[in-house]
Amino acid sequence: MTILVTGATGVVGRRVVAELLQEGRAVRALTRRPAAATLPGEVDVREGDLERPESLQPALKGVERLYLFPMPETAAEIVAMAVESGVRRIVVLSGASATEEEFGSGYLAVEQAVSRSGVDWTHVRPGEFAGNWLDWGPKIRAERVVRRPYGEAVTQPTHESDVAAVAAAALLRDGHTGRTYTFAGPQALTVREQVSAIAAAIGSPVRFEEQDPIPARDLWIQEGYPAEVVDWLFGMWRESAENPLPVNEQWASVVPDITGRPARTFAEWAVENAAAFR
Ligand SMILES: NC(=O)c1ccc[n+]([C@@H]2O[C@H](COP(=O)([O-])OP(=O)(O)OC[C@H]3O[C@@H](n4cnc5c(N)ncnc54)[C@H](OP(=O)(O)O)[C@@H]3O)[C@@H](O)[C@H]2O)c1
């Protein structure tokens, strides 16, 4: 049985590939640039561009299961081609924000294309990736500082390896068909606590400087973040700083329930990624 992994060179995709190889599965990987893919030798690397569905035709041949990186604009066409070509199970990388009015529509479009297609499907909806804070790398390396508004905002960071483990389970095991898994990491941590975990991982103090949200908004936009994304994030963080929620136990239970082992902590993530902050 051949499994096609799209987004295979991505942070989650690489880990999905690794999980499948570990189980001895035949893995085919899609990338726009095979020469730069640096995937393990046993992976059948194929060129294809999710923005040009017809380019996936050769990669889909003989594939029975598919891990689908979300590309809303072309999802319906790609799913139709996959079904036509014999794919019987699709696992979608979606996001916990799929149900949010403002930023969920892209994920929902992909999910719906898959769930309406008649194949076995599972929607994998992780919350915020721990890896988002690799953005702090340059400032921590250069100045040992994180500058951000809403230091008391609480989030529940999700280790990307756990996202991959859930996706791999849904690809390989029974019992996940027709299920939507919304989940996150095991702990609710303030931004300050996340900065402290990184400091502990690199064995060096890191200052947290709380920014005033009004000038911070302009700064973030100057740095290249789209204004609507900044407003969405700042709105969530403000709400969370004012009304910090405890850990969402339902979200935290999904990784252990599905993978049979504890979800990885932010501290573990920080240790694994310490080189990015030293
Ligand atoms: N960050 C978060 O907090 C968060 C939370 C929930 C969900 N998500 C979702 O997770 C996804 C990111 O996953 P990730 O971290 O594994 O990916 P990533 O590290 O951002 O890498 C992007 C991957 O997508 C592939 N890709 C992009 N455009 C493509 C195209 N036109 N055709 C073929 N492949 C294409 C790239 O492959 P090549 O360059 O090799 O072609 C690469 O493998 C996003 O959709 C994001 O919305 C993120």
Side-chain angles (χ1 to χ4, degrees):
M1 178 180 65
T2 299
I3 304 172
L4 177 64
V5 178
T6 60
T9 60
V11 179
V12 178
R14 276 185 193 283
R15 289 164 168 79
V16 173
V17 168
E19 293 263 350
L20 301 177
L21 289 178
Q22 215 168 9
E23 299 266 346
R25 301 308 176 123
V27 181
R28 192 173 289 171
L30 190 86
T31 170
R32 290 164 296 180
R33 293 179 304 142
T38 61
L39 286 160
E42 59 267 54
V43 177
D44 175 12
V45 180
R46 300 291 183 95
E47 185 172 347
D49 185 338
L50 292 165
E51 290 180 58
R52 292 186 298 109
E54 72 285 358
S55 71
L56 267 72
Q57 202 72 290
L60 282 168
K61 223 176 203 144
V63 168
E64 286 165 44
R65 298 187 182 183
L66 171 67
Y67 165 83
L68 186 59
F69 180 90
M71 186 69 72
E73 299 77 9
T74 54
E77 205 175 331
I78 286 169
V79 170
M81 281 171 56
V83 173
E84 172 75 25
S85 165
V87 169
R88 291 290 164 260
R89 180 180 294 196
I90 302 180
V91 173
V92 178
L93 174 61
S94 177
S97 60
T99 51
E100 280 181 27
E101 213 172 291
E102 236 171 323
F103 288 96
S105 60
Y107 291 135
L108 274 190
V110 181
E111 291 185 0
Q112 285 167 1
V114 172
S115 45
R116 288 172 183 160
S117 70
V119 296
D120 289 351
W121 58 264
T122 309
H123 302 328
V124 173
R125 289 183 177 173
E128 168 191 292
F129 290 177
N132 291 350
W133 303 135
L134 289 171
D135 281 4
W136 293 341
K139 284 277 182 343
I140 294 181
R141 288 199 303 275
E143 302 175 54
R144 291 285 185 259
V145 70
V146 172
R147 297 188 182 93
R148 234 200 68 164
Y150 308 113
E152 298 308 322
V154 170
T155 59
Q156 202 168 322
T158 316
H159 195 302
E160 291 86 349
S161 296
D162 285 334
V163 181
V166 170
L171 282 164
L172 296 177
R173 318 243 178 273
D174 294 333
H176 302 299
T177 298
R179 306 291 301 271
T180 297
Y181 294 124
T182 305
F183 62 100
Q187 297 163 304
L189 299 171
T190 64
V191 176
R192 288 177 192 278
E193 287 168 335
Q194 292 173 37
V195 173
S196 297
I198 292 171
I202 63 174
S204 167
V206 176
R207 272 181 303 122
F208 179 78
E209 285 181 14
E210 178 135 350
Q211 293 174 313
D212 182 325
I214 294 168
R217 180 182 184 275
D218 295 338
L219 268 176
W220 281 50
I221 292 168
Q222 274 166 31
E223 282 174 14
Y225 292 93
E228 62 275 19
V229 172
V230 175
D231 290 339
W232 175 61
L233 283 172
F234 279 28
M236 270 192 315
W237 293 339
R238 184 182 57 246
E239 166 62 25
S240 161
E242 287 168 2
N243 303 295
L245 291 173
V247 69
N248 181 326
E249 297 289 356
Q250 200 183 332
W251 286 19
S253 68
V254 171
V255 169
D257 283 354
I258 289 176
T259 66
R261 45 154 201 73
R264 294 162 172 93
T265 63
F266 187 77
E268 285 174 79
W269 177 89
V271 168
E272 289 165 25
N273 290 276
F277 301 106
R278 280 212 172 93

